[in-house]
Every structure is written in C-alpha cells, then in structure tokens.
Amino acid sequence: MTRTTLLPAMQNAATSDTIAQALSLAIHEHRIAPGTKLGEDELAEIYGVSRTVVRASLQSLSHLKLVDIRRNKGAKVASPSLTEAHEVFEARELLEPRTARSAAKLATPSDIALLERHINEEHTALDAADPGRALYLSGLFHTEIARIANQSTIAGFIETLVARSSLIIALYWRRESALCEKHAHHALVRALADHDEEQAEALMRSHLVDLHSALDLRERNVRAPSLKEALSQ
Amino acid sequence: MTRTTLLPAMQNAATSDTIAQALSLAIHEHRIAPGTKLGEDELAEIYGVSRTVVRASLQSLSHLKLVDIRRNKGAKVASPSLTEAHEVFEARELLEPRTARSAAKLATPSDIALLERHINEEHTALDAADPGRALYLSGLFHTEIARIANQSTIAGFIETLVARSSLIIALYWRRESALCEKHAHHALVRALADHDEEQAEALMRSHLVDLHSALDLRERNVRAPSLKEALSQ
DNA sequence: GAACACATAATTGTATACAATACAAGAAGA
DNA sequence: TCTTCTTGTATTGTATACAATTATGTGTTC
C-alpha cells in the first residue's frame, strides 16, 4: 500500500511507457500543474534515460491531450480552455451513462468488490489530506466502470476524458470539498450490484451533470498562473 | 484535382505529421492492407528522412489504432479482431446520431455545399473505378458532419472510429457494391439542410446500423491473408 | 528609462552510431 | 528425417552528436 512519493521513484528500468504513466499519474494527482514546462533534458535526467525515450513519452501524452507540444517550443502540461472543458464534460455525459448501463448488466461480485475497494481508498486518501490522490482514485472509479462494461474502445475514450477532466478540475474547480462525490459513487455501486440498469444510467448522468455544474466555467474566471506565463503563450 | 498516385509523392519537406497523414490516407484507401509490415528503414528511405521521424509517425498512428506496434517486433497495419469491429461500430452508433443532430442545428449553407461536393467526388471516384478513394471520401463525409457539430473532442473520437472502420471494411466487407451509401448520404444532407434534427439523428442511426449489418462479422469468416502471415503473429 | 540590435546560451529537431533483440538458415546429433 | 543448437543477418531500442530554432541578456541609441 506504499506509494511513490516524488515524481519518479523508478527503481530500475524506465521505459517510455513507465515514464508516460508516471507523468500521467503526477498530472492526475495535481502534483504538476497545468502549464508547467516539461523540458526534455530535465526529464531525461530525472528518469535516467536519454531524450529519445522522454520524447516518446511526451508524444504519447500529447495524443491523450494531457500535454501540449508545439514545434520548437517544447512540451507543457496542457491547460484546457473553457470550450474544451465544456466539450469534455459533454462527451462524458454522452458516453458514460450508457456505459454505466452496460456495466450494470455485466457487473460480477468481484467487480463490485473492486469498486468498493476504490471508494475506500479514496476515503483514506481524503482522510490523509491527500486530495490529489483522492481525485485520481475518483477518476479510476469511472474508468473501472467503463472496463466492466466490456467495451474497450469506449473505455479508452472515457479514460482520456477522465484524464483531461483532472486538468479541468485543476483549473476550474469551485467547490471546496470533493466529498460530494462519495454518496454518488456509493449509490452507483449499489445500482450496479443490483443490476439495475435504468438506475445506473440515471445516477451516472446526474453525477456527471453535478460535476459539470460544480465547475466555474464562466468566462474569464480562469485563475491566471502568472502574467509572464499567461503572455508566453 | 490531381492526387498522389503512389504512397509518398512528397515533393520536399517530409515531417512526422505529413508521413503519418500519407500513411493514414494509404490505409484509408486500401492501398496498404491490414497486417502489412511497416519497416522503419523502408519508410525512412521512401520519405527521405531518418528513422527518428518515421518512428514518431508510426507511434502517432498506433495511438489511432491504425498501426500495431509491438516491442522489438516493429509496426504493422492493424487488423482489428471481430470483437474490435463490433466495438467500433457500436461506439459509432452511440456517438454519431447525436452528433448528426447537433450538426443539423448548426449546419450553414456552406457546410451543406461542402458535403454535397464530397458526395459528388465520391461519385466520381466510383465511376473511375477507384473504390478505395470512394471509401475514403465516404469516411470524410462522416468526419465532416462531426466537425459541423462543433464538438471537436467528439469529432476526434469519430475520426479515429472512421479510420478504424476503414480497416474493418477491408477485412470484413461483404456486399459487392458500395453504392448503397449514396442514398443514405444524400438523405442525410437534406435533413441537415432542413435543420431537421430528429430526422438527421434517425437517418444517421439507421445508416450506421445498415453499415454494421453489411459486414460479415460471423465468427471465423475472416479472410486469412496467408498461412505464413497467419502464423507469424 | 524604453526600444531595438546583436551576440550568446539554452532547448528542440534530426541524423547517426551502437546495443539488444528477434528471425532464419544451416550444422550437428540422435 | 526430425530435433535442437548455433550462428549470422536483419530490425528495432537507445544514446549521442550535430543542426536549427528559440530564448536570454547586454549594450547601444534615442
């Protein structure tokens, strides 16, 4: 149950995939903020590999829209615009309710147990004052449901949407407590366990609408990181 | 209206993006079959660049699931399984009808004109006995509708699904004539022009169901390329 | 002090060299 | 003849070197 404290903590072989995963996790957990520059040399030294490998990782993350690469300018952690933020949540509202319905049809007892374990871990993270990790686990809950639905193509889409949601939350989150999710996730698990497809779909839809409306997506209320950074792009 | 005859026909600078685009087009148009090996040296020579650039292109295409990269084994044009084929069309049936509805709300006269031009080009390609190009244009029709709907996130998903559909069609297509599409696309354009959202959504849905059922997705009816190739993987 | 030009440093883009792995063919043995 | 091992070749994985571009800092001018 121990977890990596700093970015890497790679003990031995760092491949392109493991680096991408480590960075993705760090972004998920808000240990790296949107807009942060990701220099190739810097990362290469951290992970003890050459720029070649780092570049592959960054390109991979840029395809997931977690990282923004611009020619001759390097890579930054993406900072989604208001438009993108709306789009991501609208896409989730289109995909996830239907997926939750399928998951309700297919969920096995062991699936349910896994989901409950996720909720518990999320709880522990919140108690440990680790909101970043809680957020990551909360996202994992959604991707796990997509996996249960046994539609790996759609699950892949949802995975990227959840990842991008993490960036959006970092930029536009309004409410102070993330606890509002707890009940929603619990209720969803119950619906899945009962194979109540209708209920699962409805709960997922309202949960997402709730999340969407918990964002401060009014024009220009974006928290500007710094003047210099705002103008550099 | 001239088009590139062979794979590359790059006149000058070949960047990672242009190579990926050229390969993508070639796959779309069925000039490269699923399962074809894409050697790095080979492509590097064709496009007059180093393997570095080629690798970036291939990785990019592998994220779109057009190319299958396996560690130390290299890249091949993907050949989607039956399961994947079903998933792709199910995802399209989930995403595209709703998107067509949005497009019906937003379509401008110039959008309609563009779509009609696409249909005409598709027609010309069919007359010119170029079914590959017709298929590509047919896909472009769908991605164009997604673009009109002004939801670039979902449009991106649809784009990848359309691309993968091209591979699926190459493997599992049953009907002889692709002409069945002509009427469906025409009717859709009319619905979009009339801003008839209900009709657009319904037409898109039935069009996709039609496409899906036009595939021979019965177990094990896959056309095996060759024994050697079948065993090599 | 502000704006510009230029030189220098830092960073990314691309090519190449070398290492590691997989594939194929042939030799040795039963 | 078949199996298994060995060896050679081809291909991919990674590191490094160099080229191209961007960023930075300094001095100059107004």
Side-chain angles (χ1 to χ4, degrees):
Chain A
M1 199 60 78
T2 153
R3 90 175 168 88
T4 59
T5 51
L6 243 169
L7 281 191
M10 322 246 76
Q11 39 265 45
N12 29 18
T15 148
S16 154
D17 286 339
T18 65
I19 294 177
Q21 209 171 333
L23 284 174
S24 168
L25 183 61
I27 293 173
H28 257 290
E29 295 187 349
H30 291 182
R31 299 202 306 277
I32 315 182
T36 306
K37 176 79 190 289
L38 299 171
E40 297 182 356
D41 271 321
E42 183 185 8
L43 291 171
E45 189 163 15
I46 290 177
Y47 291 103
V49 295
S50 77
R51 281 174 49 214
T52 310
V53 180
V54 169
R55 275 179 80 86
S57 314
L58 292 174
Q59 283 175 343
S60 177
L61 291 172
S62 92
H63 288 131
L64 303 176
K65 309 246 192 184
L66 284 184
V67 157
D68 195 34
I69 299 182
R70 292 154 119 92
R71 189 173 178 84
N72 289 321
K73 294 279 188 71
K76 291 184 174 186
V77 177
S79 31
S81 67
L82 276 171
T83 308
E84 283 175 73
H86 278 298
E87 280 190 359
V88 166
F89 275 91
E90 281 161 17
R92 290 186 66 173
E93 284 158 26
L94 177 52
L95 288 174
E96 293 200 56
R98 186 77 66 96
T99 303
R101 169 183 282 272
S102 303
K105 186 164 12 185
L106 300 172
T108 67
S110 88
D111 290 329
I112 301 296
L114 179 59
L115 287 175
E116 282 173 345
R117 224 175 306 138
H118 279 182
I119 293 181
N120 284 338
E121 277 190 58
E122 187 181 339
H123 226 265
T124 346
L126 276 176
D127 288 346
D130 192 347
R133 175 129 189 105
L135 176 63
Y136 168 69
L137 290 165
S138 161
L140 211 61
F141 182 85
H142 286 256
T143 62
E144 193 58 35
I145 287 178
R147 193 198 54 76
I148 292 169
N150 201 31
Q151 284 270 352
S152 61
T153 299
I154 291 176
F157 292 157
I158 291 176
E159 211 167 319
T160 77
L161 291 172
V162 167
R164 294 173 70 185
S165 296
S166 181
L167 287 173
I168 292 165
I169 287 171
L171 286 170
Y172 305 107
W173 188 250
R174 182 170 39 169
R175 294 195 193 155
E176 293 311 310
S177 91
L179 281 175
C180 53
E181 306 220 357
K182 202 181 76 178
H183 296 310
H185 282 189
H186 258 305
L188 242 170
V189 170
R190 180 174 297 273
L192 294 176
D194 294 347
H195 301 295
D196 188 341
E197 304 181 27
E198 209 67 47
Q199 177 79 344
E201 180 168 353
L203 284 174
M204 180 61 92
R205 177 168 291 119
S206 71
H207 174 43
L208 287 171
V209 169
D210 205 42
L211 274 176
H212 192 165
S213 65
L215 297 174
D216 191 355
L217 295 180
R218 287 168 302 196
E219 210 60 52
R220 262 337 292 160
N221 205 328
V222 187
R223 147 188 117 201
S226 79
L227 185 60
K228 182 177 170 189
E229 194 165 321
L231 296 179
S232 80
Q233 197 259 76
Chain B
M1 199 61 77
T2 152
R3 90 176 168 88
T4 57
T5 51
L6 242 169
L7 282 191
M10 322 247 76
Q11 38 265 45
N12 28 17
T15 150
S16 153
D17 287 340
T18 65
I19 294 176
Q21 210 171 332
L23 285 173
S24 168
L25 183 61
I27 294 173
H28 257 291
E29 296 187 348
H30 291 181
R31 299 201 306 277
I32 315 182
T36 307
K37 176 78 189 291
L38 299 171
E40 297 182 356
D41 272 321
E42 184 185 7
L43 291 172
E45 188 163 16
I46 291 177
Y47 291 103
V49 294
S50 77
R51 281 175 49 215
T52 310
V53 180
V54 170
R55 275 178 81 86
S57 314
L58 292 174
Q59 282 175 343
S60 177
L61 291 173
S62 93
H63 288 286
L64 303 176
K65 309 247 191 183
L66 283 184
V67 157
D68 195 35
I69 299 182
R70 291 154 121 93
R71 189 172 177 82
N72 290 320
K73 295 278 190 71
K76 290 184 175 188
V77 177
S79 29
S81 67
L82 276 172
T83 309
E84 284 175 72
H86 278 297
E87 280 190 0
V88 165
F89 275 91
E90 281 161 17
R92 291 186 64 173
E93 284 158 25
L94 177 53
L95 289 174
E96 293 200 55
R98 187 77 66 96
T99 304
R101 169 184 281 272
S102 304
K105 186 164 12 183
L106 300 172
T108 68
S110 89
D111 290 329
I112 302 297
L114 179 58
L115 287 174
E116 280 172 346
R117 224 174 308 138
H118 279 183
I119 293 181
N120 284 339
E121 278 190 57
E122 188 180 339
H123 225 264
T124 343
L126 276 176
D127 289 346
D130 191 347
R133 175 131 189 103
L135 177 62
Y136 168 70
L137 290 165
S138 161
L140 212 59
F141 182 85
H142 285 256
T143 63
E144 194 58 35
I145 287 177
R147 193 198 55 75
I148 291 169
N150 201 32
Q151 284 270 353
S152 61
T153 300
I154 291 176
F157 292 157
I158 290 176
E159 210 167 319
T160 77
L161 291 171
V162 167
R164 293 173 70 186
S165 296
S166 181
L167 286 172
I168 292 165
I169 287 171
L171 287 169
Y172 304 108
W173 188 252
R174 182 170 39 171
R175 294 195 193 153
E176 291 312 310
S177 91
L179 281 175
C180 52
E181 307 220 358
K182 202 181 74 179
H183 297 310
H185 282 190
H186 257 305
L188 243 169
V189 170
R190 180 173 297 273
L192 294 176
D194 293 349
H195 300 294
D196 187 341
E197 304 181 26
E198 209 68 45
Q199 177 79 346
E201 180 168 353
L203 283 174
M204 180 61 92
R205 177 168 290 118
S206 71
H207 174 43
L208 287 171
V209 168
D210 204 43
L211 273 177
H212 192 164
S213 66
L215 298 174
D216 191 356
L217 294 180
R218 287 167 302 195
E219 211 58 54
R220 263 340 291 161
N221 205 327
V222 187
R223 144 187 119 202
S226 79
L227 185 60
K228 182 177 171 189
E229 193 164 321
L231 296 179
S232 79
Q233 199 260 75

